[in-house]
Amino acid sequence: MATARILDFLATRRPSGPCLVVDLDVVEENFRAFEKVLPDSKIYYAVKANPAPEILRLLASLGSSFDCASVAEIEMAMDAGASAARISFGNTIKKERDIARAFELGIRLFAVDCVEEVEKTARAAPGARVFCRVLTDGAGAEWPLSRKFGCAPDMAVDVLRHARALGLDAYGVSFHVGSQQTDLSAWDRALGDAKKVFGTLAEEGIVLKMVNMGGGFPTRYLKDVPAAQAYGQAIFGALRKHFGNELPETIIEPGRGMVGNAGVIKSEVVLISKKSADDHTRWVFLDIGKFGGLAETMDEAIRYPITTQHDGGPTSPCVLAGPTCDSADVMYEKMPYPLPLSLTIGDEVLIEGTGAYTTTYASVAFNGFEPLRSYVI
Ligand SMILES: *Cc1c(COP(=O)(O)O)cnc(C)c1O
């Protein structure tokens, strides 16, 4: 959210154009909160949420590990000071030559979700540790990752058995309950599935060691979300319920929960208009939209808190849109956004909770608009 440091930065530096400002103190607080509520889990920050070098350097210095999805992300994490032992290649969809390059860089932990990926990994990263991702339904998540990644638990057994047969270290199971997950029971269901895979393979003498519990930890947008402590308790309770006293090693991979609330986007109102004389809904056009970094407003999935200097006065529902010449560049229309009646062209607005999944989702120069600028303070 807009911390005193962020507000001070904006007031004194007055950056022109839309920009994201990230407060590193908040990232550090988030890291320590994860450490505190899940003390036995290793934290692998999901680099894709915000790969700013300052954020990666801070997290590396705090002892974080890193979940990377490409060779470029692996190199960014290494440049920030992480050793290869603290990096996983967590994308289940990789080119064989990228697996080979990661292996050359020293990476020894890889995600798979099918025998085809196991075969690539066995050729390009012989003997490496692999964990198999199982499907979750993503129910309860505002940004579900659904069917694209993972396989059914029964198939995960085959995948890991195949990995062992090809000389890989069949190391564990992973899942992701869906991003911005506010249903605490989602981890319980997924851990139940993970335990089934552990149990079946144990009967064949393949002893898995690790459960990668993924991301999904929410950040607060407009609605309240359960506190970090509630997540910690629910997850630890589910681990005990399914694994009893034989707790596996565990990993968590927070992205949004690590950086979402650390960033604020400053934007400017470009135009306020109506579509007809008797139109009650104002159209408010900002200098940032879906192509400038707010891609997660797709299907109006993520609803960011927006603050203005007129807050507290009367409001009316507005359609909120971006500045580009694409009609898809409308953020909130099905559920219009209440904004102050006194809001005027040229006003600045703050879009809060935008530290995750914004800078990397900005287009290169659609309509000539430059990619979202970012300041990490
Ligand atoms: C995106 C991603 C994450 C981070 O998810 P959040 O919901 O942002 O915490 C973690 N793990 C994997 C494998 C991912 O793809």
Side-chain angles (χ1 to χ4, degrees):
M1 302 290 135
T3 61
R5 292 181 70 222
I6 292 176
L7 293 175
D8 183 57
F9 175 87
L10 287 171
T12 52
R13 291 278 297 273
R14 304 218 53 75
S16 71
C19 62
L20 170 70
V21 188
V22 175
D23 184 341
L24 283 175
D25 287 352
V26 180
V27 179
E28 177 162 354
E29 274 166 35
N30 290 337
F31 180 83
R32 297 203 188 282
F34 280 117
E35 266 188 329
K36 185 156 168 243
V37 301
L38 285 166
D40 298 322
S41 296
K42 266 201 210 141
I43 300 170
Y44 279 65
Y45 171 59
V47 171
K48 74 174 185 287
N50 190 326
E54 300 90 337
I55 294 175
L56 300 184
R57 279 201 295 270
L58 170 72
L59 289 172
S61 75
L62 293 173
S64 185
S65 297
F66 296 88
D67 167 47
C68 297
S70 64
V71 171
E73 283 190 354
I74 290 168
E75 287 169 346
M76 286 188 251
M78 294 183 112
D79 286 347
S83 62
R86 281 160 65 189
I87 294 173
S88 70
F89 202 164
N91 193 343
T92 52
I93 304 155
K94 304 177 281 304
K95 289 180 179 163
E96 190 166 325
R97 59 181 178 277
D98 289 342
I99 301 174
R101 176 70 187 135
F103 190 70
E104 218 173 79
L105 290 170
I107 309 303
R108 294 292 180 269
L109 186 59
F110 295 83
V112 295
D113 67 358
C114 59
V115 293
E116 292 80 359
E117 193 73 12
V118 163
E119 283 171 6
K120 285 191 228 168
T121 312
R123 286 190 296 263
R129 290 176 171 172
V130 293
F131 56 88
C132 184
R133 182 152 166 185
V134 294
L135 272 174
T136 64
D137 60 13
E142 284 174 30
W143 190 261
L145 304 167
S146 67
R147 294 193 51 80
K148 181 170 175 185
F149 310 102
C151 62
D154 285 348
M155 187 180 265
V157 169
D158 298 334
V159 169
L160 288 165
R161 191 188 286 131
H162 198 61
R164 157 71 74 93
L166 295 184
L168 291 165
D169 184 357
Y171 199 65
V173 173
S174 77
F175 55 79
H176 193 302
V177 293
S179 202
Q180 189 68 9
Q181 176 59 266
T182 53
D183 178 2
L184 297 177
S185 65
W187 279 270
D188 178 60
R189 291 192 300 275
L191 283 166
D193 286 343
K195 171 64 201 188
K196 276 185 227 153
V197 179
F198 269 63
T200 310
L201 285 170
E203 287 166 17
E204 304 174 16
I206 300 177
V207 181
L208 301 180
K209 299 193 187 61
M210 185 269 287
V211 179
N212 175 344
M213 304 189 288
F217 308 93
T219 198
R220 190 178 183 285
Y221 297 111
L222 284 166
K223 282 179 275 175
D224 265 330
V225 298
Q229 207 182 352
Y231 281 84
Q233 276 166 6
I235 291 170
F236 191 71
L239 272 167
R240 275 256 179 257
K241 172 176 149 194
H242 296 291
F243 288 88
N245 286 328
E246 290 172 32
L247 291 185
E249 288 172 32
T250 52
I251 281 178
I252 54 170
E253 299 175 329
R256 190 186 305 278
M258 189 74 84
V259 292
N261 68 340
V264 170
I265 284 174
K266 183 218 64 160
S267 170
E268 179 183 328
V269 177
V270 181
L271 181 66
I272 303 178
S273 63
K274 291 188 172 181
K275 297 295 171 190
S276 66
D278 55 359
D279 192 355
H280 293 298
T281 309
R282 290 173 296 160
W283 281 67
V284 173
F285 298 90
L286 301 179
D287 62 359
I288 185 171
K290 275 210 181 99
F291 300 99
L294 301 179
E296 286 199 313
T297 58
M298 207 186 295
D299 300 325
E300 309 195 12
I302 298 291
R303 223 169 150 78
Y304 296 106
I306 297 174
T307 61
T308 75
Q309 70 243 46
H310 307 288
D311 291 348
T315 64
S316 78
C318 298
V319 174
L320 195 68
T324 66
C325 296
D326 189 313
S327 56
D329 193 8
V330 174
M331 294 175 282
Y332 305 119
E333 181 175 18
K334 270 183 277 167
M335 212 209 279
Y337 203 102
L339 287 169
L341 285 169
S342 49
L343 189 71
T344 49
I345 293 171
D347 280 349
E348 278 184 3
V349 302
L350 296 181
I351 309 172
E352 308 216 352
T354 40
Y357 304 119
T358 52
T359 48
T360 43
Y361 275 164
S363 65
V364 172
F366 182 40
N367 275 161
F369 293 112
E370 69 172 279
L372 182 59
R373 246 184 281 166
S374 137
Y375 302 92
V376 180
I377 61 172

Short mmCIF file of all heavy atoms in Angstrom, two decimals, residues 16-70:
data_model
loop_
_atom_site.label_atom_id
_atom_site.label_comp_id
_atom_site.label_asym_id
_atom_site.label_seq_id
_atom_site.Cartn_x
_atom_site.Cartn_y
_atom_site.Cartn_z
N SER A 16 7.27 11.86 -13.78
CA SER A 16 6.19 12.10 -14.74
C SER A 16 5.80 10.78 -15.38
O SER A 16 6.60 9.85 -15.47
CB SER A 16 6.63 13.10 -15.80
OG SER A 16 7.57 12.49 -16.65
N GLY A 17 4.57 10.70 -15.81
CA GLY A 17 4.09 9.47 -16.44
C GLY A 17 3.72 8.44 -15.40
O GLY A 17 4.06 8.57 -14.23
N PRO A 18 3.03 7.39 -15.84
CA PRO A 18 2.65 6.35 -14.89
C PRO A 18 3.89 5.63 -14.39
O PRO A 18 4.85 5.46 -15.15
CB PRO A 18 1.76 5.42 -15.72
CG PRO A 18 2.15 5.66 -17.13
CD PRO A 18 2.62 7.07 -17.23
N CYS A 19 3.91 5.23 -13.14
CA CYS A 19 5.06 4.48 -12.63
C CYS A 19 4.67 3.67 -11.41
O CYS A 19 3.71 3.99 -10.71
CB CYS A 19 6.22 5.40 -12.29
SG CYS A 19 5.85 6.57 -10.99
N LEU A 20 5.45 2.60 -11.21
CA LEU A 20 5.30 1.78 -10.01
C LEU A 20 6.39 2.18 -9.02
O LEU A 20 7.55 2.35 -9.41
CB LEU A 20 5.48 0.30 -10.39
CG LEU A 20 5.58 -0.69 -9.22
CD1 LEU A 20 4.26 -0.83 -8.48
CD2 LEU A 20 6.06 -2.05 -9.71
N VAL A 21 6.03 2.33 -7.74
CA VAL A 21 7.02 2.56 -6.71
C VAL A 21 6.90 1.43 -5.68
O VAL A 21 5.81 1.17 -5.17
CB VAL A 21 6.81 3.92 -6.00
CG1 VAL A 21 7.98 4.20 -5.05
CG2 VAL A 21 6.66 5.04 -7.01
N VAL A 22 8.02 0.73 -5.46
CA VAL A 22 8.02 -0.41 -4.54
C VAL A 22 8.84 -0.07 -3.30
O VAL A 22 9.96 0.43 -3.41
CB VAL A 22 8.63 -1.66 -5.23
CG1 VAL A 22 8.75 -2.81 -4.24
CG2 VAL A 22 7.78 -2.09 -6.42
N ASP A 23 8.27 -0.32 -2.14
CA ASP A 23 8.95 -0.07 -0.86
C ASP A 23 9.58 -1.38 -0.38
O ASP A 23 8.88 -2.32 0.02
CB ASP A 23 7.92 0.45 0.15
CG ASP A 23 8.55 0.83 1.48
OD1 ASP A 23 9.68 0.38 1.77
OD2 ASP A 23 7.91 1.59 2.23
N LEU A 24 10.93 -1.42 -0.39
CA LEU A 24 11.64 -2.65 0.00
C LEU A 24 11.39 -3.05 1.45
O LEU A 24 11.48 -4.22 1.81
CB LEU A 24 13.15 -2.48 -0.22
CG LEU A 24 13.65 -2.58 -1.67
CD1 LEU A 24 15.15 -2.27 -1.72
CD2 LEU A 24 13.37 -3.96 -2.27
N ASP A 25 11.09 -2.05 2.31
CA ASP A 25 10.81 -2.39 3.71
C ASP A 25 9.62 -3.33 3.82
O ASP A 25 9.57 -4.22 4.67
CB ASP A 25 10.51 -1.12 4.53
CG ASP A 25 11.77 -0.31 4.77
OD1 ASP A 25 12.87 -0.79 4.44
OD2 ASP A 25 11.66 0.82 5.31
N VAL A 26 8.64 -3.14 2.93
CA VAL A 26 7.44 -3.99 2.97
C VAL A 26 7.78 -5.40 2.48
O VAL A 26 7.32 -6.39 3.03
CB VAL A 26 6.30 -3.36 2.13
CG1 VAL A 26 5.06 -4.25 2.17
CG2 VAL A 26 5.97 -1.96 2.63
N VAL A 27 8.65 -5.48 1.45
CA VAL A 27 9.07 -6.79 0.98
C VAL A 27 9.77 -7.54 2.11
O VAL A 27 9.52 -8.73 2.36
CB VAL A 27 10.02 -6.67 -0.24
CG1 VAL A 27 10.48 -8.04 -0.72
CG2 VAL A 27 9.33 -5.90 -1.38
N GLU A 28 10.64 -6.84 2.83
CA GLU A 28 11.35 -7.48 3.94
C GLU A 28 10.37 -7.95 5.02
O GLU A 28 10.49 -9.07 5.53
CB GLU A 28 12.40 -6.52 4.53
CG GLU A 28 13.11 -7.13 5.72
CD GLU A 28 14.42 -6.45 6.10
OE1 GLU A 28 14.87 -5.54 5.37
OE2 GLU A 28 14.99 -6.83 7.14
N GLU A 29 9.39 -7.10 5.35
CA GLU A 29 8.37 -7.51 6.34
C GLU A 29 7.65 -8.77 5.88
O GLU A 29 7.39 -9.67 6.68
CB GLU A 29 7.31 -6.41 6.50
CG GLU A 29 7.62 -5.33 7.48
CD GLU A 29 6.65 -4.14 7.30
OE1 GLU A 29 5.46 -4.37 6.99
OE2 GLU A 29 7.11 -3.00 7.47
N ASN A 30 7.30 -8.81 4.59
CA ASN A 30 6.58 -9.97 4.07
C ASN A 30 7.44 -11.23 4.17
O ASN A 30 6.96 -12.29 4.57
CB ASN A 30 6.16 -9.74 2.61
CG ASN A 30 5.07 -8.70 2.48
OD1 ASN A 30 4.32 -8.45 3.42
ND2 ASN A 30 4.98 -8.08 1.31
N PHE A 31 8.73 -11.09 3.81
CA PHE A 31 9.63 -12.25 3.88
C PHE A 31 9.69 -12.77 5.32
O PHE A 31 9.56 -13.97 5.58
CB PHE A 31 11.03 -11.89 3.38
CG PHE A 31 11.98 -13.06 3.43
CD1 PHE A 31 12.00 -14.00 2.41
CD2 PHE A 31 12.82 -13.24 4.52
CE1 PHE A 31 12.86 -15.09 2.46
CE2 PHE A 31 13.68 -14.34 4.58
CZ PHE A 31 13.70 -15.26 3.55
N ARG A 32 9.85 -11.84 6.26
CA ARG A 32 9.96 -12.27 7.67
C ARG A 32 8.65 -12.87 8.17
O ARG A 32 8.65 -13.80 8.98
CB ARG A 32 10.40 -11.09 8.54
CG ARG A 32 11.80 -10.59 8.16
CD ARG A 32 12.47 -9.84 9.28
NE ARG A 32 13.72 -9.22 8.84
CZ ARG A 32 14.87 -9.88 8.66
NH1 ARG A 32 14.94 -11.18 8.90
NH2 ARG A 32 15.95 -9.23 8.25
N ALA A 33 7.52 -12.37 7.67
CA ALA A 33 6.23 -12.94 8.08
C ALA A 33 6.10 -14.38 7.59
O ALA A 33 5.66 -15.26 8.32
CB ALA A 33 5.08 -12.08 7.55
N PHE A 34 6.52 -14.64 6.34
CA PHE A 34 6.48 -16.03 5.83
C PHE A 34 7.39 -16.92 6.67
O PHE A 34 7.01 -18.03 7.03
CB PHE A 34 6.91 -16.09 4.36
CG PHE A 34 5.81 -15.71 3.40
CD1 PHE A 34 5.94 -14.61 2.58
CD2 PHE A 34 4.65 -16.46 3.32
CE1 PHE A 34 4.93 -14.25 1.68
CE2 PHE A 34 3.63 -16.12 2.44
CZ PHE A 34 3.78 -15.01 1.62
N GLU A 35 8.59 -16.42 6.98
CA GLU A 35 9.52 -17.20 7.80
C GLU A 35 8.92 -17.55 9.15
O GLU A 35 9.10 -18.65 9.66
CB GLU A 35 10.77 -16.36 8.07
CG GLU A 35 11.90 -16.56 7.12
CD GLU A 35 13.15 -15.83 7.60
OE1 GLU A 35 13.03 -14.77 8.27
OE2 GLU A 35 14.24 -16.31 7.30
N LYS A 36 8.19 -16.58 9.69
CA LYS A 36 7.65 -16.75 11.03
C LYS A 36 6.48 -17.73 11.05
O LYS A 36 6.39 -18.58 11.93
CB LYS A 36 7.19 -15.37 11.54
CG LYS A 36 6.71 -15.36 12.94
CD LYS A 36 6.84 -13.96 13.56
CE LYS A 36 6.08 -13.95 14.87
NZ LYS A 36 4.97 -13.02 14.88
N VAL A 37 5.58 -17.62 10.06
CA VAL A 37 4.37 -18.45 10.13
C VAL A 37 4.61 -19.86 9.58
O VAL A 37 3.86 -20.77 9.91
CB VAL A 37 3.16 -17.80 9.42
CG1 VAL A 37 2.86 -16.44 10.06
CG2 VAL A 37 3.35 -17.68 7.94
N LEU A 38 5.63 -20.04 8.76
CA LEU A 38 5.96 -21.39 8.28
C LEU A 38 7.46 -21.63 8.47
O LEU A 38 8.22 -21.74 7.50
CB LEU A 38 5.56 -21.54 6.80
CG LEU A 38 4.05 -21.69 6.55
CD1 LEU A 38 3.72 -21.48 5.08
CD2 LEU A 38 3.53 -23.04 7.02
N PRO A 39 7.88 -21.72 9.72
CA PRO A 39 9.32 -21.72 10.01
C PRO A 39 10.06 -22.92 9.43
O PRO A 39 11.28 -22.86 9.25
CB PRO A 39 9.38 -21.72 11.55
CG PRO A 39 8.04 -22.17 12.00
CD PRO A 39 7.06 -21.79 10.94
N ASP A 40 9.36 -24.02 9.16
CA ASP A 40 10.05 -25.20 8.65
C ASP A 40 10.07 -25.28 7.12
O ASP A 40 10.61 -26.22 6.56
CB ASP A 40 9.41 -26.47 9.22
CG ASP A 40 9.53 -26.50 10.74
OD1 ASP A 40 10.58 -26.07 11.25
OD2 ASP A 40 8.55 -26.91 11.40
N SER A 41 9.44 -24.30 6.46
CA SER A 41 9.40 -24.33 5.00
C SER A 41 10.47 -23.41 4.43
O SER A 41 10.70 -22.32 4.96
CB SER A 41 8.04 -23.85 4.49
OG SER A 41 7.02 -24.73 4.90
N LYS A 42 11.09 -23.85 3.35
CA LYS A 42 12.04 -22.98 2.65
C LYS A 42 11.27 -22.07 1.71
O LYS A 42 10.33 -22.53 1.05
CB LYS A 42 13.01 -23.82 1.84
CG LYS A 42 14.28 -24.12 2.58
CD LYS A 42 15.38 -24.47 1.59
CE LYS A 42 16.36 -25.42 2.24
NZ LYS A 42 16.82 -26.46 1.33
N ILE A 43 11.68 -20.82 1.65
CA ILE A 43 10.97 -19.86 0.81
C ILE A 43 11.69 -19.72 -0.53
O ILE A 43 12.86 -19.35 -0.58
CB ILE A 43 10.90 -18.48 1.51
CG1 ILE A 43 10.16 -18.62 2.85
CG2 ILE A 43 10.21 -17.46 0.61
CD1 ILE A 43 10.23 -17.39 3.72
N TYR A 44 10.98 -20.04 -1.60
CA TYR A 44 11.47 -19.82 -2.97
C TYR A 44 10.62 -18.70 -3.57
O TYR A 44 9.48 -18.95 -3.96
CB TYR A 44 11.32 -21.10 -3.81
CG TYR A 44 12.41 -22.13 -3.59
CD1 TYR A 44 12.56 -22.76 -2.35
CD2 TYR A 44 13.28 -22.48 -4.61
CE1 TYR A 44 13.56 -23.71 -2.15
CE2 TYR A 44 14.29 -23.43 -4.42
CZ TYR A 44 14.42 -24.04 -3.19
OH TYR A 44 15.41 -24.98 -3.00
N TYR A 45 11.17 -17.50 -3.63
CA TYR A 45 10.40 -16.39 -4.18
C TYR A 45 10.14 -16.64 -5.67
O TYR A 45 11.06 -16.97 -6.43
CB TYR A 45 11.19 -15.08 -4.00
CG TYR A 45 10.60 -13.88 -4.73
CD1 TYR A 45 9.31 -13.45 -4.46
CD2 TYR A 45 11.34 -13.20 -5.69
CE1 TYR A 45 8.76 -12.37 -5.13
CE2 TYR A 45 10.82 -12.10 -6.36
CZ TYR A 45 9.53 -11.69 -6.08
OH TYR A 45 8.98 -10.63 -6.75
N ALA A 46 8.88 -16.50 -6.09
CA ALA A 46 8.53 -16.67 -7.50
C ALA A 46 8.93 -15.41 -8.26
O ALA A 46 8.25 -14.38 -8.22
CB ALA A 46 7.03 -16.93 -7.65
N VAL A 47 10.07 -15.50 -8.95
CA VAL A 47 10.70 -14.34 -9.56
C VAL A 47 9.77 -13.60 -10.52
O VAL A 47 9.81 -12.38 -10.65
CB VAL A 47 12.00 -14.77 -10.27
CG1 VAL A 47 12.60 -13.64 -11.10
CG2 VAL A 47 13.02 -15.26 -9.25
N LYS A 48 8.88 -14.34 -11.19
CA LYS A 48 8.05 -13.70 -12.20
C LYS A 48 7.16 -12.60 -11.63
O LYS A 48 6.76 -11.71 -12.36
CB LYS A 48 7.19 -14.74 -12.92
CG LYS A 48 6.00 -15.29 -12.13
CD LYS A 48 5.16 -16.18 -13.05
CE LYS A 48 3.88 -16.69 -12.43
NZ LYS A 48 4.07 -17.73 -11.41
N ALA A 49 6.85 -12.66 -10.32
CA ALA A 49 5.93 -11.66 -9.74
C ALA A 49 6.51 -10.25 -9.86
O ALA A 49 5.78 -9.29 -10.12
CB ALA A 49 5.63 -11.99 -8.29
N ASN A 50 7.81 -10.13 -9.62
CA ASN A 50 8.51 -8.86 -9.82
C ASN A 50 10.01 -9.10 -9.76
O ASN A 50 10.56 -9.32 -8.68
CB ASN A 50 8.10 -7.81 -8.78
CG ASN A 50 8.63 -6.43 -9.16
OD1 ASN A 50 9.70 -6.29 -9.73
ND2 ASN A 50 7.87 -5.39 -8.82
N PRO A 51 10.67 -9.12 -10.91
CA PRO A 51 12.09 -9.48 -10.95
C PRO A 51 13.02 -8.27 -10.80
O PRO A 51 14.19 -8.36 -11.19
CB PRO A 51 12.23 -10.10 -12.35
CG PRO A 51 11.20 -9.40 -13.17
CD PRO A 51 10.09 -8.95 -12.26
N ALA A 52 12.57 -7.17 -10.27
CA ALA A 52 13.45 -6.00 -10.11
C ALA A 52 14.71 -6.42 -9.35
O ALA A 52 14.61 -7.08 -8.32
CB ALA A 52 12.72 -4.89 -9.35
N PRO A 53 15.90 -6.04 -9.87
CA PRO A 53 17.14 -6.50 -9.24
C PRO A 53 17.24 -6.13 -7.77
O PRO A 53 17.77 -6.90 -6.96
CB PRO A 53 18.24 -5.76 -10.04
CG PRO A 53 17.59 -5.27 -11.28
CD PRO A 53 16.11 -5.24 -11.07
N GLU A 54 16.71 -4.96 -7.40
CA GLU A 54 16.77 -4.55 -5.98
C GLU A 54 16.00 -5.53 -5.09
O GLU A 54 16.40 -5.82 -3.97
CB GLU A 54 16.18 -3.14 -5.79
CG GLU A 54 16.90 -2.04 -6.57
CD GLU A 54 16.32 -1.82 -7.97
OE1 GLU A 54 15.69 -2.75 -8.53
OE2 GLU A 54 16.50 -0.71 -8.51
N ILE A 55 14.85 -6.01 -5.60
CA ILE A 55 14.03 -6.95 -4.83
C ILE A 55 14.76 -8.29 -4.72
O ILE A 55 14.84 -8.88 -3.64
CB ILE A 55 12.65 -7.14 -5.51
CG1 ILE A 55 11.85 -5.84 -5.45
CG2 ILE A 55 11.87 -8.29 -4.85
CD1 ILE A 55 10.51 -5.88 -6.19
N LEU A 56 15.34 -8.74 -5.84
CA LEU A 56 16.05 -10.03 -5.81
C LEU A 56 17.26 -9.95 -4.89
O LEU A 56 17.54 -10.89 -4.14
CB LEU A 56 16.46 -10.43 -7.23
CG LEU A 56 15.32 -10.60 -8.24
CD1 LEU A 56 15.87 -11.09 -9.59
CD2 LEU A 56 14.25 -11.56 -7.73
N ARG A 57 17.98 -8.81 -4.94
CA ARG A 57 19.16 -8.67 -4.07
C ARG A 57 18.76 -8.68 -2.60
O ARG A 57 19.40 -9.34 -1.77
CB ARG A 57 19.91 -7.37 -4.39
CG ARG A 57 20.83 -7.49 -5.60
CD ARG A 57 21.91 -6.40 -5.60
NE ARG A 57 21.33 -5.08 -5.74
CZ ARG A 57 21.11 -4.46 -6.91
NH1 ARG A 57 21.45 -5.07 -8.05
NH2 ARG A 57 20.58 -3.26 -6.96
N LEU A 58 17.68 -7.95 -2.27
CA LEU A 58 17.22 -7.93 -0.88
C LEU A 58 16.87 -9.34 -0.42
O LEU A 58 17.33 -9.80 0.64
CB LEU A 58 15.99 -7.02 -0.73
CG LEU A 58 15.29 -7.14 0.63
CD1 LEU A 58 16.13 -6.48 1.72
CD2 LEU A 58 13.89 -6.54 0.61
N LEU A 59 16.08 -10.04 -1.23
CA LEU A 59 15.63 -11.38 -0.81
C LEU A 59 16.82 -12.34 -0.72
O LEU A 59 16.88 -13.17 0.18
CB LEU A 59 14.56 -11.89 -1.77
CG LEU A 59 13.21 -11.15 -1.64
CD1 LEU A 59 12.25 -11.57 -2.74
CD2 LEU A 59 12.57 -11.41 -0.27
N ALA A 60 17.77 -12.22 -1.66
CA ALA A 60 18.95 -13.09 -1.60
C ALA A 60 19.70 -12.84 -0.30
O ALA A 60 20.14 -13.78 0.37
CB ALA A 60 19.85 -12.85 -2.81
N SER A 61 19.80 -11.57 0.09
CA SER A 61 20.56 -11.26 1.32
C SER A 61 19.81 -11.73 2.56
O SER A 61 20.42 -11.99 3.59
CB SER A 61 20.85 -9.75 1.40
OG SER A 61 19.67 -9.06 1.77
N LEU A 62 18.49 -11.83 2.47
CA LEU A 62 17.71 -12.31 3.62
C LEU A 62 17.71 -13.84 3.71
O LEU A 62 17.16 -14.42 4.64
CB LEU A 62 16.26 -11.81 3.52
CG LEU A 62 16.05 -10.29 3.67
CD1 LEU A 62 14.59 -9.92 3.37
CD2 LEU A 62 16.45 -9.83 5.06
N GLY A 63 18.29 -14.49 2.69
CA GLY A 63 18.38 -15.95 2.72
C GLY A 63 17.32 -16.66 1.90
O GLY A 63 17.16 -17.88 2.00
N SER A 64 16.59 -15.93 1.09
CA SER A 64 15.55 -16.55 0.27
C SER A 64 16.16 -17.41 -0.83
O SER A 64 17.29 -17.18 -1.28
CB SER A 64 14.69 -15.46 -0.38
OG SER A 64 13.60 -16.03 -1.08
N SER A 65 15.40 -18.41 -1.26
CA SER A 65 15.70 -19.13 -2.48
C SER A 65 14.76 -18.61 -3.56
O SER A 65 13.91 -17.76 -3.29
CB SER A 65 15.51 -20.63 -2.27
OG SER A 65 16.43 -21.10 -1.30
N PHE A 66 14.92 -19.12 -4.79
CA PHE A 66 14.19 -18.52 -5.91
C PHE A 66 13.58 -19.57 -6.83
O PHE A 66 14.26 -20.52 -7.23
CB PHE A 66 15.13 -17.61 -6.72
CG PHE A 66 15.62 -16.44 -5.91
CD1 PHE A 66 16.77 -16.55 -5.13
CD2 PHE A 66 14.92 -15.25 -5.87
CE1 PHE A 66 17.22 -15.50 -4.34
CE2 PHE A 66 15.35 -14.19 -5.09
CZ PHE A 66 16.50 -14.31 -4.33
N ASP A 67 12.30 -19.37 -7.16
CA ASP A 67 11.61 -20.20 -8.15
C ASP A 67 11.68 -19.48 -9.48
O ASP A 67 11.12 -18.39 -9.63
CB ASP A 67 10.16 -20.43 -7.73
CG ASP A 67 9.32 -21.02 -8.86
OD1 ASP A 67 9.79 -21.98 -9.50
OD2 ASP A 67 8.21 -20.51 -9.10
N CYS A 68 12.37 -20.07 -10.45
CA CYS A 68 12.57 -19.41 -11.74
C CYS A 68 11.88 -20.21 -12.85
O CYS A 68 11.76 -21.42 -12.78
CB CYS A 68 14.06 -19.33 -12.05
SG CYS A 68 14.96 -18.31 -10.85
N ALA A 69 11.45 -19.49 -13.88
CA ALA A 69 10.70 -20.13 -14.96
C ALA A 69 11.45 -20.14 -16.28
O ALA A 69 10.95 -20.67 -17.27
CB ALA A 69 9.35 -19.44 -15.13
N SER A 70 12.64 -19.55 -16.32
CA SER A 70 13.40 -19.48 -17.57
C SER A 70 14.88 -19.31 -17.23
O SER A 70 15.23 -18.98 -16.09
CB SER A 70 12.94 -18.27 -18.40
OG SER A 70 13.24 -17.08 -17.69
#
